[in-house]
Amino acid sequence: MSRTDRVSNDSCVLVTGGCGFIGSHTVVELLEKGYEVLVIDDLSNSSKAVLERVGQIVGPDAMQRLSFYRANVNDRETLDGIFTHHRIDTVIHFAGFKAVGESVSKPIEYFSNNIGCTLTLVDVMRTYGCKNIIFSSSATVYGDPDELPLTEESPKKPATNPYGWTKWMIEEMLRSLVVADPTWNVVLLRYFNPIGAHPSGLIGEDPKGIPNNLVPYVAQVAVGRRDAVHVYGDDYDTPDGTGVRDYIHVVDLARGHVAALEWMAHRCGCEVFNLGTGRGTSVLDVIKAYSAACGTDLPYVVEPRRPGDVTANWADCTKAKELLGWEAQYDIEDMCRDSWRWQSNNPYGYER
Ligand code: UFG
């Protein structure tokens, strides 16, 4: 089967966590490319309304190729049922708990859910002879970098929280699968900081409670749900003293998954890719770009540094460009514009 043949209705992708922020944007890109998509999500941190919105974006014909299973990935019986009824080519594994701070107070839940689900998943995949998996890893595995930009060869550093360890350890678990059985095909995608929303304004990030991450917080200030942005530290060794990150538009990130999927056909082994833009943006630059997008100067207050934060990180994405033919298209202005469109159309997310 050639690469073009794969992009047809008989290429079936199982997306775990497909109702989440990155998952739902990836589901849109897959459906638009003609894949058959199976979503498994327990809706513990997402909403089924996401799939209706996905339907508005891709249209009723493409939605015929989507099936949804409400279950936790640790539910072996459901996974068995899914693999019995479908010939799945590849799994894209997003499902997992992701709040850094919460992971510190709930380590058992984080290790058990994130690692337990992945073990169940790969065990079932092995049983049914499906050995292609793309895993959502994170730039968190690089820790506090010695050198920038970060390449895939940059060393992994010990994690500073249980969430980070789960990403770190799942990478190693999946690597071990390939060592034991070289017919496995594993792609580890290390995301930098995904933000933004689908340009339609129909799907986006919908954090429960007080947002932990910068842009969802800024978005809630912009829409009037919070008073001011808290800037965690302005005494870092960066041009304006605030932390610097490589923010990437979630649609670019989603397309990175499709590029990886097309690239991994008919090859084996384990490969790692950074997915970022290669550009660093400070906290104050984000607030400025968001202020321009929403047309109001957003208020902020400077607070002490947040424990565990690194000064700066950004990616070298040459490898993804050369091997996957993928490169981020959107800049920080685009990311803020699309985030604002989503937030202003849906001030309380999917629920209201
Ligand atoms: N920040 C603020 N105010 C806030 C939130 C964040 O000033 O309210 C600052 C942080 O100090 C940091 C920057 O904004 O300098 C980005 O912080 P985020 O929380 O948005 O993102 P992080 O880089 O801390 O975390 C992200 C992902 C994690 C991942 C981590 C490391 O959310 O999943 O990158 O790769 F582990």
Side-chain angles (χ1 to χ4, degrees):
M1 205 164 39
S2 73
R3 175 176 291 198
T4 329
D5 292 331
R6 273 185 70 84
V7 186
S8 67
N9 291 2
D10 57 34
S11 279
C12 180
V13 185
L14 174 64
V15 181
T16 76
C19 295
F21 175 45
I22 307 170
S24 58
H25 286 80
T26 303
V27 167
V28 166
E29 297 301 316
L30 291 169
L31 290 171
E32 286 183 338
K33 280 269 187 171
Y35 287 91
E36 184 187 347
V37 179
L38 314 174
V39 168
I40 177 169
D41 197 306
D42 65 1
L43 304 181
S44 59
N45 192 28
S46 58
S47 159
K48 203 180 165 202
V50 174
L51 297 180
E52 287 157 31
R53 302 290 186 90
V54 167
Q56 290 177 44
I57 297 170
V58 302
D61 289 348
M63 280 304 268
Q64 304 272 325
R65 285 183 272 104
L66 177 76
S67 309
F68 173 65
Y69 298 86
R70 181 175 183 170
N72 186 274
V73 179
N74 234 339
D75 175 350
R76 186 180 289 263
E77 216 174 297
T78 301
L79 276 187
D80 266 323
I82 297 173
F83 277 89
T84 304
H85 286 102
H86 302 272
R87 217 200 100 251
I88 297 168
D89 298 297
T90 307
V91 176
I92 307 184
H93 181 33
F94 293 105
F97 293 159
K98 61 171 188 180
V100 173
E102 184 185 60
S103 79
V104 176
S105 53
K106 295 184 172 172
I108 297 177
E109 284 78 3
Y110 270 69
F111 287 118
S112 152
N113 185 62
N114 292 7
I115 293 181
C117 285
T118 308
L119 284 172
T120 304
L121 177 65
V122 291
D123 192 18
V124 173
M125 287 174 68
R126 177 177 59 175
T127 303
Y128 291 88
C130 172
K131 296 183 182 176
N132 300 319
I133 184 166
I134 297 176
F135 174 62
S136 293
S137 189
S138 165
T140 196
V141 302
Y142 295 119
D144 202 355
D146 299 322
E147 260 183 290
L148 290 168
L150 288 155
T151 73
E152 292 81 356
E153 304 300 316
S154 301
K156 284 173 78 168
K157 298 272 188 73
T160 53
N161 54 74
Y163 159 80
W165 277 119
T166 66
K167 295 293 180 196
W168 206 106
M169 289 159 70
I170 293 168
E171 281 198 353
E172 298 311 310
M173 278 165 38
L174 297 178
R175 240 188 254 285
S176 307
L177 287 184
V178 178
V179 173
D181 174 357
T183 65
W184 273 88
N185 191 3
V186 171
V187 173
L188 307 173
L189 298 179
R190 292 180 178 158
Y191 312 152
F192 280 69
N193 286 55
I195 62 165
H198 193 270
S200 63
L202 286 165
I203 57 173
E205 193 165 10
D206 183 17
K208 304 246 189 298
I210 302 171
N212 300 304
N213 298 113
L214 177 65
V215 172
Y217 201 101
V218 172
Q220 293 194 4
V221 173
V223 85
R225 287 175 63 183
R226 316 231 167 244
D227 293 338
V229 183
H230 301 269
V231 174
Y232 297 139
D234 67 352
D235 56 351
Y236 283 105
D237 183 15
T238 61
D240 66 17
T242 65
V244 169
R245 296 289 184 276
D246 185 341
Y247 295 94
I248 173 171
H249 196 298
V250 64
V251 171
D252 274 330
L253 189 62
R255 290 178 182 158
H257 291 75
V258 180
L261 195 62
E262 290 172 1
W263 174 78
M264 77 197 284
H266 306 299
R267 57 173 300 288
C268 300
C270 178
E271 210 68 60
V272 185
F273 294 97
N274 286 338
L275 296 183
T277 62
R279 285 184 294 276
T281 305
S282 75
V283 175
L284 294 183
D285 286 339
V286 169
I287 297 173
K288 206 191 294 169
Y290 213 103
S291 296
C294 72
T296 314
D297 272 337
L298 297 173
Y300 65 87
V301 286
V302 176
E303 307 265 359
R305 292 182 181 194
R306 185 171 67 175
D309 274 350
V310 302
T311 300
N313 72 9
W314 63 87
D316 179 326
C317 300
T318 312
K319 185 176 174 188
K321 187 174 177 186
E322 286 180 351
L323 269 65
L324 307 181
W326 172 91
E327 196 174 13
Q329 303 296 320
Y330 294 107
D331 63 18
I332 193 74
E333 281 74 30
D334 300 321
M335 299 178 215
C336 292
R337 180 200 61 219
D338 291 337
S339 164
W340 172 240
R341 188 180 294 117
W342 153 253
Q343 191 71 47
S344 52
N345 288 346
N346 307 271
Y348 290 89
Y350 291 105
E351 297 304 333
R352 276 180 279 171

